[in-house]
Amino acid sequence: MKSNSTQNVILNPETLPPHVAIIMDGNGRWAKKKMMNRIKGHKQGSQIVRSIVTACRELGIDTLTLYAFSTENWARPELEVKALMMLLKKFIVSEREELSKHNIRLNIIGQKYKLPLDVQKEVEATMELTKDNNKMLLNLALSYGSREEITTAVKQIAEKIESKDLDSNDVTQDLISDHLYTKAMPDPDLIIRTGGEYRLSNFLLWQAAYSEIYICDTLWPDFTKNEFIKILKNYQERDRRFGKVACSTSNDG
């Protein structure tokens, strides 16, 4: 059996999670520990994004979703928000050819219209360039909030019912999923949060219904490919039952 290994950690390529989502937390705390401003932490964090995207591509993970900027992040200091948008624009431009070269498609989930116009322009250019790529999907969650996403979906469905394009009996879980930013995508199999906080922070709340969750204390700028692979190994050792239990004997009930 073909295997991928790092420091004696052997992964089974047949049971890798098709969709990994990451809450990249800890940039600010990393910078504070090093007596730097928060922007330095975000800059270092952007370097880690490159390494993890590369790792996913090399391992054969189909979809990677990164929580890059939440709807709540707009309330941060104006200077920090501007710096984050600048780093985002730089990343989108600098990685454009690499994404194309390695057959990776870029997609944005969230309120793209709220991004600065120059950022929107570069995002659209990269999405257009990579739209036919099919080796891997990279989702960046930008101005994303799960409650906003679900609320928007409910409004869209309500409007269709009001206009008689839908009947209330047509509303199913699949229909709701088809009105989310992640329509036509599989739900995340594994959600990783760095930085040690035990919460989802308004991230993929509908889609995470049966996701495996892994919390690590490592701050995002210190996150490595080796740690990522160990987390994938932990995922492969879990028993995913999706609420079901296989009875082994008549006494199991």
Side-chain angles (χ1 to χ4, degrees):
M1 179 183 68
K2 181 182 176 182
S3 65
N4 297 299
S5 63
T6 296
Q7 293 186 341
N8 300 320
V9 176
I10 299 176
L11 297 175
N12 180 354
E14 297 177 2
T15 57
L16 285 168
H19 185 177
V20 175
I22 304 179
I23 302 172
M24 306 177 293
D25 193 21
N27 289 344
R29 283 176 285 160
W30 180 89
K32 184 177 180 180
K33 283 175 61 177
K34 295 182 177 298
M35 305 297 288
M36 300 177 180
N37 64 49
R38 293 173 58 85
I39 295 171
K40 293 287 187 180
H42 295 310
K43 186 174 182 180
Q44 177 63 25
S46 68
Q47 301 297 320
I48 306 304
V49 169
R50 292 184 178 93
S51 68
I52 298 305
V53 171
T54 299
C56 286
R57 172 179 61 79
E58 292 174 346
L59 291 167
I61 290 172
D62 297 328
T63 303
L64 173 65
T65 299
L66 300 176
Y67 202 9
F69 192 87
S70 74
T71 50
E72 293 76 20
N73 287 159
W74 290 113
R76 289 187 176 186
E78 183 179 358
L79 183 63
E80 183 175 354
V81 171
K82 285 184 176 179
L84 283 166
M85 290 299 112
M86 179 189 69
L87 287 170
L88 170 61
K89 179 180 176 181
K90 182 178 179 181
F91 176 84
I92 293 294
V93 172
S94 66
E95 298 304 305
R96 185 175 293 156
E97 293 303 324
E98 280 295 301
L99 293 174
S100 183
K101 174 183 175 182
H102 294 293
N103 203 14
I104 299 172
R105 178 165 70 91
L106 176 71
N107 183 58
I108 304 299
I109 61 173
Q111 303 165 313
K112 283 190 293 183
Y113 66 91
K114 285 194 173 182
L115 301 174
L117 291 178
D118 59 328
V119 176
Q120 289 185 47
K121 178 182 176 182
E122 299 301 345
V123 164
E124 292 294 341
T126 301
M127 289 177 62
E128 177 65 22
L129 181 67
T130 64
K131 66 180 181 180
D132 295 324
N133 293 350
N134 56 20
K135 180 177 177 61
M136 177 181 158
L137 173 62
L138 171 62
N139 285 318
L140 294 184
L142 297 171
S143 191
Y144 174 87
S146 189
R147 287 185 172 183
E148 179 276 328
E149 175 186 33
I150 295 169
T151 300
T152 299
V154 171
K155 286 180 178 178
Q156 290 173 352
I157 293 170
E159 289 169 358
K160 291 179 180 179
I161 292 174
E162 187 175 6
S163 64
K164 308 300 183 183
D165 292 326
L166 279 177
D167 183 84
S168 60
N169 292 323
D170 296 327
V171 180
T172 63
Q173 292 184 26
D174 286 341
L175 181 73
I176 294 171
S177 293
D178 285 342
H179 285 78
L180 299 177
Y181 293 127
T182 54
K183 62 184 177 182
M185 299 178 201
D187 290 339
D189 302 277
L190 172 64
I191 296 178
I192 300 168
R193 179 168 188 145
T194 62
E197 301 289 352
Y198 285 75
R199 57 177 177 267
L200 288 175
S201 296
N202 201 17
F203 182 54
L204 300 178
L205 300 180
W206 175 274
Q207 299 89 335
Y210 279 100
S211 301
E212 296 295 318
I213 298 176
Y214 191 101
I215 310 293
C216 67
D217 291 329
T218 306
L219 301 176
W220 178 249
D222 289 328
F223 195 67
T224 65
K225 177 182 176 180
N226 287 343
E227 183 163 10
F228 181 54
I229 287 176
K230 289 177 183 178
I231 292 171
L232 294 176
K233 179 63 174 176
N234 177 275
Y235 166 87
Q236 292 187 328
E237 293 171 347
R238 297 187 185 187
D239 180 15
R240 302 188 73 197
R241 298 187 299 273
F242 301 94
K244 303 173 184 178
V245 175
C247 296
S248 57
T249 70
S250 59
N251 293 328
D252 285 343

